[in-house]
Amino acid sequence: MNIRFEKAPTLKQKPADETKLGFGKIFTDYMFIMDYKTGEGWHDARIVPYGNLSLSPAALCLHYGQEVFEGMKAYRRADGGIQLFRPEENFKRLNSSNERLVIPELPVEMAMEGLMELLKVEKDWVPSAEGAALYIRPFIIAVDPFLGVRPGDEYLFIIILSPSGAYYASGLDPVKIYVESKYVRAVRGGMGYTKTGGNYAASLIGQDEAHKEGYSQVLWLDGVEQKYIEEVGAMNIFFIVDGEVITPALQGSILPGITRKSVIELCKSWGMKVTERRISIAEIAEAYDAGKLDEVFGTGTAAVISPVGHLKYGDKIMEINDNKIGAVSQKIYDTMTGMQWGKIADQFGWIVPVE
Ligand SMILES: *Cc1c(COP(=O)(O)O)cnc(C)c1O
């Protein structure tokens, strides 16, 4: 692929204090862009200075939400090198989202090449502070200037980069979540398994109400009966009941997390019993009452593992593992982050070095 490079007249000052990066606020000097047009395919790959886009106010994505995105990170190793964690999985998932949203396929190799080139240009932006990483946001938007409801003929694939800080300031602080009983996020046959803006728009009201009550997020139940557990905000959910690792099975309404998949593979490699199935919230409450709910944690690229210390279901409050991170959660966290930052060997072939 021929990638055109347009040099920025000046470069930005890199953040002086990498312990105060936060998330998603700072952007690097360059972005990768590629166009698509029906009949021409993907073309004009370029790395250009990061900046505002020029779009028609009638662009399809602005009105009907035809857009998909991904989220991943580049990690700085102790030896100064940079590496990615299962990046092809992200681009495969992007294509699964594309298919659902009737967006043309983007070959994984093309997306990988664009990302690798952009990372080589922006390598100095990958932070080295403990727990900090370069967050990568690839996305596709339909840009046809047309107000009719139909799939677009013109798209942009863009990758932007944002240095982000450690998710946890000190240790892994357990989060407080409640079981959402009013709203639903997705239903079978809908778009729950895709990373598309509409799913997050649908979840904002639940998150907003949770924040007002002092909870960080909500645990979504299935959209039909509101009985079965699905996932949390931007994280999949795991339960350890009587030593068995249990997570909701993927049946179309849950996002197939790459961290989820990796945690399943990791726990199986340790000889643990891992089950993917339907789990009702009533079953979890029962396990809690029987003293068998050992650990609960969320999984996602941002936090890797997010222990749940307090889970509210109606009037029932479940305090899990004395509101402290459990031994298995800690072991998974240490192993996953150890591999991601290159501190421990990768026995699974999950790490892709950039340089
Ligand atoms: C991104 C996301 C996840 C986590 O996926 P990872 O690939 O592990 O980062 C889980 N649920 C939702 C709704 C998400 O958007």
Side-chain angles (χ1 to χ4, degrees), residues 47-83:
I47 291 172
V48 297
Y50 179 91
N52 292 348
L53 302 173
S54 172
L55 288 183
S56 161
L60 277 177
C61 62
L62 301 176
H63 302 272
Y64 309 121
Q66 202 193 7
E67 78 92 38
V68 293
F69 69 94
E70 270 302 324
M72 58 215 278
K73 285 175 173 175
Y75 306 87
R76 171 88 62 196
R77 293 191 306 265
D79 69 3
I82 298 166
Q83 59 186 33

Side-chain angles (χ1 to χ4, degrees), residues 177-180 186 188 218-223 225-232 235-239 241 246-251 253-254 260 277-286 293 296-297 311 313 318:
I177 60 179
Y178 71 66
V179 178
E180 176 62 65
R188 243 163 292 159
V218 304
L219 177 61
W220 297 103
L221 297 180
D222 77 273
E225 295 175 81
Q226 286 195 281
K227 265 193 194 164
Y228 299 98
I229 295 169
E230 297 227 310
E231 61 177 317
V232 185
M235 288 194 294
N236 294 111
I237 189 97
F238 283 76
F239 302 89
V241 178
I246 313 173
T247 192
L250 304 175
Q251 24 63 350
S253 54
I254 300 173
R260 175 189 180 277
R277 62 170 170 85
R278 238 165 44 146
I279 313 159
S280 70
I281 183 64
E283 177 189 342
I284 292 301
E286 261 171 52
L293 184 59
V296 180
F297 58 90
L311 178 61
Y313 168 45
M318 295 176 252

Side-chain angles (χ1 to χ4, degrees), residues 35 66 77 116 131 136 151 168 198 201 227 238 248 260 263 275 279 300 307-308 318 320 337:
D35 297 320
Q66 202 193 7
R77 293 191 306 265
M116 287 299 195
I136 301 164
Y168 298 103
K227 265 193 194 164
F238 283 76
R260 175 189 180 277
V263 165
T275 313
I279 313 159
V308 177
M318 295 176 252
I320 298 129
T337 56

